[in-house]
Amino acid sequence: MKAAEQHIATRFNRIERVLAYIHANLDQPLNVADLAALSCWSRWQLQRVFSEQTGVNVAHYVRELKLGQAAQQLVMGQSRVIDIALMYGFGSEASFSRAFRQHFGMTPRHYRQRGVMDGIRTPMHIASLTTSQPSWLSVHIQTREPMHLVGQLGYIRGLFSSQPDFTHVVPELWQHVHQSLWYAGECESIGAINVTQAETLGEPLPYLAGQVTMHPPEDNAITHWIIPATTYAVITHTGPVSALPETLKAFIYHWLPQSGYTCTDGVELEVYPPHYQPADKHAVMHYWVPLDTAHIAPN
């Protein structure tokens, strides 16, 4: 192994060790000094490398995980708020409620009354083990309100088809959309894949490349879908969109079996920010997979 690759692998392994410790000890204070000692780096080195490798500040990651686990307990369980606060290492109900409101924009009691799983970070998992560019899979749980989506309709054979064709069909659809008069470049673009009626893996899937609208279109040439309120696992993909299949495989084969969540047939979403550059190695988009909220049992 080359010296540079060995250095990358060493950093990756140390971060892996830190993450495993965090995930197993969310009921503990988990201050940065103790995590740095575990990693054999200084506090400054840990924070720099952790942020570089995972894209998030280590202290923010710990807090988001604790609050996310607490939010799940609020929706799914009957424990008192004070008990949940102590369960995740907060010193008092007041400090927990303050942190919770800062993150979710509402009090723990309001979140419980609302009864919706939303804004929850889940533990990171390995997405890629290639020595040259190891990476982590970042997944959030989000609930999206009903929306009207309009755009260009096509049909694709997906990731698990024996003859997948989405790698050339999808770009062609988006090229047509970008040239359309109704397309607004300053808004996020959404690719919607309807898997609800697929009987076999080889069956073509309807794919709508478009944008959200407040009003149904009058132009009959534009396809209009109404997508109901849905709770999703939201997967962050960084890098060229051509590598998205590898990120989705990491989600399906590694994250999902360990998560306690169950996916359901529905409309999957590809969400692209304005001016997205699909070949850029730093580009970020999100893939939304519907979850079965009736069978949630997170670890």
Side-chain angles (χ1 to χ4, degrees), residues 29-158:
L30 294 175
N31 62 67
V32 176
D34 291 340
L35 294 175
L38 177 69
S39 71
C40 300
W41 283 314
S42 70
R43 290 181 59 184
W44 180 86
Q45 288 170 330
L46 171 63
Q47 292 180 91
R48 182 178 67 83
V49 177
F50 191 96
S51 179
E52 175 190 89
Q53 292 286 310
T54 66
V56 64
N57 175 285
V58 61
H60 290 171
Y61 178 71
V62 169
R63 175 158 290 212
E64 285 185 355
L65 273 187
K66 285 175 174 283
L67 291 172
Q69 295 290 315
Q72 290 175 341
Q73 292 292 331
L74 287 166
V75 173
M76 296 163 49
Q78 301 298 321
S79 298
R80 298 180 304 165
V81 173
I82 180 59
D83 294 331
I84 294 173
L86 297 176
M87 186 186 306
Y88 291 103
F90 290 88
S92 67
E93 182 175 343
S95 64
F96 168 66
S97 295
R98 186 165 53 250
F100 194 95
R101 185 164 192 157
Q102 273 186 336
H103 182 68
F104 290 101
M106 66 186 74
T107 66
R109 285 179 172 77
H110 185 189
Y111 193 95
R112 168 171 274 170
Q113 290 169 0
R114 191 163 164 257
V116 175
M117 303 280 282
D118 196 24
I120 296 173
R121 174 184 281 281
T122 68
M124 289 185 178
H125 289 263
I126 296 172
S128 168
L129 284 174
T130 58
T131 307
S132 60
Q133 193 59 45
S135 61
W136 300 96
L137 186 67
S138 178
V139 181
H140 287 74
I141 308 305
Q142 301 280 156
T143 297
R144 194 156 190 148
E145 295 301 315
M147 63 178 176
H148 293 268
L149 191 66
V150 299
Q152 178 72 32
L153 180 65
Y155 291 85
I156 64 171
R157 287 185 168 84

